[in-house]
Structures are given as structure tokens and as C-alpha cells.
Amino acid sequence: MKSLLCTSLSALALLSGVALAEDSHSGSFADYLEGLRKEALERHDIRPETISAVFPKVKEFRLAKSQNGDDEATPESAGSLDKYLPSVLTDTLVDEAKFQYQGHSETLTRIGDAYGVQPRFIVALWGLESRYGRESGAYPVLSVTASKAYRGVREAFYREQFFAALNILDSSSWQLEQLLATPDGRMGQPKLLPAGFLAYAKDGDDDGKADIWTNPADVFASIASFMKESGWRADETWGRQVKIPADFDVTLASSGVKKGFADWQALGVRRFDGTDLPARSDMLVTMVMPDGPKGRVYLVYDNYLAIKRWRDSDYFALALVHLSDRIKFQLGE
């Protein structure tokens, strides 16, 4: 998985059997599900009573053609960053980011302090993934992941997610009907895959449950938990847009080389306004140019790389950090 997360859709047409990809298994879905049942018992230590309660409710999802592929369209399919950013960072999304930030400021501050993650980044990720909770998925995750695996869509990956979802049910009070996901198996407002839920979902208000579907405190804590575990630093931001000289060696960006600001400065790199780079010598930074040297160029810090662990897309990561900057600007921080 490019990120445990992730994030991640909604609707009701998933149950309408439109065009199907060719089955990768000669047997029926019932036969495939029986194999999953045996593996759950023999290799994953799922309690028999959980299996008896859950497996009869797992149904094959006859996916519409547009939902039968690996995952949703990638941000990079927009064609260029200059097209993608305006299409995603609409005035409505930005204005609501400020509204949500202010409405949850006390909870965000508490959780941000506890995990060492600036709240504006939590809100930005929340907004991009689920439009502040409005697009959090509507399909039973076991049926989604089993159907994906059966049809050979990253089979090993979706089998892993299926057994992770079984573990959630087996080790908690969650019910099958409550574990709702997107067509690619991501759950709740932060769009966590089942394995990501097991690793990062947190109880943000001490009510004994990590409810990433309806409880904002738990959503924020789960996002912050991932960022903290990915190496987030509260004393740093994400990076900056820069300019490069005409003769710049672009392989320094494609190879992911880390250098100090003085080293990049010596290579002719400058802030976007043409002024010198920061004088600090206590950090190494990486260059990214998602659209090549003629597109936007950035020097990014470790916090940016943590976002890439959530979703391995420079377009998504840059949309998130630009939204976080818009939140900061609107709030006058």
C-alpha cells in the first residue's frame, strides 16, 4: 500500500452490477469466501464465534466498471500541478477549513499538543480526504475487500485488509454494519484502511472507543497519531517553493538527495521571490519538482515526507500543505 492510509469516496451504485472485470478465480465467490474463512481460523486466530457471526453477512460486490480497478484516479491524472491545485483548493474548501478549525479549536489544540502536530495540518488532511467528514464511505468493508481480492485487484493487499477488518471486529465492540468504507476499502473520515486503523486509530476523548466515522476528536487523534509515528516534528513546517537556475542538475531532485540550505544555495537555488534561502544549518532538505524543471519546484522538509507516507503523491501532499498555509493565513497565525 502506498500509504496506510489513506485515504478515501461514497455512493450507492456500488451494489448495482454494471460491467465486471474478468474473474481471476475460476471458483465462485462463495468458494473464495470459504478459503478466507479457513485461513481466518487457522492462521489469524480469529475466534470461531466472530467468524460464525460475520461470514454469512459478507456479500459479493458486483463493482461498476469505474470502481473495478486498483484504486480511484490518482491526483497526478489531472495533468499538471497548476491544474490540480485550483481544482482541489476551492474557495469553499478553504473557507470551511477556517470554519472547522475555529469550531474545533479547543479539541484540535489539545490533540495537537499531545501528539506534536500543528492543528492546521490535521484539518487540511481531514478536508482533503473526506470534505470534513461528509464523504466517509458507505459500504461494508469486509464485502468490499473480499470482493476486490476475489477479482484479483491487488489480491494479497486486499486479503490483508480483509483479515485486518476481521481483527477489528474480533478485538473490539464494533459491529460489522458499522465498519463502513469507500469502494477501495478506506474507512471513516480520515480514510484509514483496516490495517491502518489497527495501527493508528486513537480514542481522542477518552470515551473508550476510536470512532473515526462520527467523532471528530477520534478523527483528529488518529490523523495526528499517524503523523507522529511517521516522524512529524512540531518545531518545523513543511517546506517552501523555490527557483532554480537554468543549468541546474535536475537529477538532484529525482534522486531524493538531502542537502543543507547552504548547499542548495551554492547550487543557485533561491526562495521563490529570489532572496537567499534560510541561513539555518540544523536540517537537511529535499527537492521535489512534480512536473519537471519547468513546473513548480520545492525544497521540502521531513514533515512533507511524513505526508507522503500517508499517500505517496506529491500532488496530494502539496495540496495538503498549501491548504494548511491558507488556513494559517486566514487565521492570521
Side-chain angles (χ1 to χ4, degrees):
M1 149 182 146
K2 290 182 177 177
S3 72
L4 281 170
L5 319 124
C6 323
T7 104
S8 323
L9 309 167
S10 81
L12 199 70
L14 191 60
L15 290 170
S16 66
V18 192
L20 298 176
E22 183 178 345
D23 290 351
S24 61
H25 294 277
S26 57
S28 67
F29 180 73
D31 293 335
Y32 190 80
L33 198 60
E34 177 61 18
L36 293 176
R37 189 191 69 80
K38 290 180 179 178
E39 185 173 341
L41 276 170
E42 297 170 2
R43 296 182 53 193
H44 296 274
D45 296 323
I46 304 298
R47 291 178 299 147
E49 52 266 41
T50 299
I51 291 175
S52 297
V54 165
F55 270 75
K57 299 178 181 179
V58 179
K59 307 298 181 184
E60 181 182 2
F61 271 36
R62 300 181 65 81
L63 307 180
K65 189 173 183 179
S66 63
Q67 296 164 332
N68 214 22
D70 188 352
D71 274 317
E72 61 181 301
T74 64
E76 280 73 10
S77 62
S80 74
L81 195 58
D82 283 336
K83 291 180 180 178
Y84 177 70
L85 291 178
S87 71
V88 174
L89 303 182
T90 62
D91 290 342
T92 299
L93 186 78
V94 174
D95 289 343
E96 188 172 357
K98 176 183 176 181
F99 174 80
Q100 295 289 355
Y101 188 108
Q102 292 175 323
H104 295 284
S105 60
E106 183 177 340
T107 301
L108 283 164
T109 299
R110 174 175 57 80
I111 289 173
D113 289 344
Y115 288 92
V117 179
Q118 301 93 312
R120 63 189 175 100
F121 291 98
I122 298 174
V123 172
L125 193 151
W126 183 38
L128 286 179
E129 282 292 10
S130 66
R131 297 303 183 265
Y132 313 104
R134 288 193 299 276
E135 300 174 7
S136 57
Y139 314 114
V141 70
L142 284 182
S143 294
V144 170
T145 52
S147 297
K148 286 274 197 180
Y150 171 62
R151 300 201 176 280
V153 180
R154 296 171 69 192
E155 181 178 8
F157 170 74
Y158 278 108
R159 286 175 72 96
E160 176 192 356
Q161 301 309 320
F162 178 86
F163 292 121
L166 273 182
N167 268 303
I168 296 170
L169 294 169
D170 196 49
S171 61
S172 70
S173 61
W174 287 108
Q175 301 299 306
L176 176 66
E177 295 78 10
Q178 296 174 306
L179 299 190
L180 298 179
T182 62
D184 58 355
R186 294 185 286 159
M187 304 188 305
Q189 296 185 28
K191 303 292 181 66
L192 287 173
L193 287 158
F197 181 96
L198 291 172
Y200 305 111
K202 299 296 180 184
D203 176 3
D205 57 3
D206 297 324
D207 67 352
K209 203 168 191 177
D211 181 359
I212 62 170
W213 290 269
T214 66
N215 188 328
D218 296 350
V219 172
F220 303 155
S222 300
I223 292 171
S225 168
F226 176 90
M227 290 182 168
K228 178 182 178 181
E229 293 301 317
S230 298
W232 193 271
R233 294 190 54 169
D235 60 343
E236 293 181 4
T237 183
W238 64 270
R240 65 186 64 248
Q241 190 172 356
V242 295
K243 288 184 175 180
I244 57 175
D247 60 350
F248 186 79
D249 180 3
V250 297
T251 63
L252 293 175
S254 61
S255 60
V257 170
K258 282 191 171 185
K259 293 180 178 291
F261 285 114
D263 298 320
W264 290 115
Q265 176 88 11
L267 291 168
V269 181
R270 297 293 184 271
R271 296 177 194 252
F272 190 66
D273 63 4
T275 59
D276 287 347
L277 297 176
R280 59 188 299 178
S281 59
D282 60 336
M283 58 191 301
L284 298 176
V285 298
T286 304
M287 180 174 286
V288 296
M289 46 178 74
D291 294 332
K294 294 185 178 180
R296 299 190 189 203
V297 182
Y298 298 86
L299 287 180
V300 297
Y301 311 161
D302 286 345
N303 285 349
Y304 179 90
L305 302 180
I307 295 169
K308 287 285 296 289
R309 294 185 187 101
W310 179 279
R311 187 185 291 200
D312 189 13
S313 162
D314 282 309
Y315 278 29
F316 177 84
L318 288 166
L320 192 156
V321 297
H322 279 297
L323 179 54
S324 77
D325 283 350
R326 296 281 294 275
I327 295 170
K328 181 179 180 180
F329 175 78
Q330 287 210 5
L331 295 174
E333 295 183 355

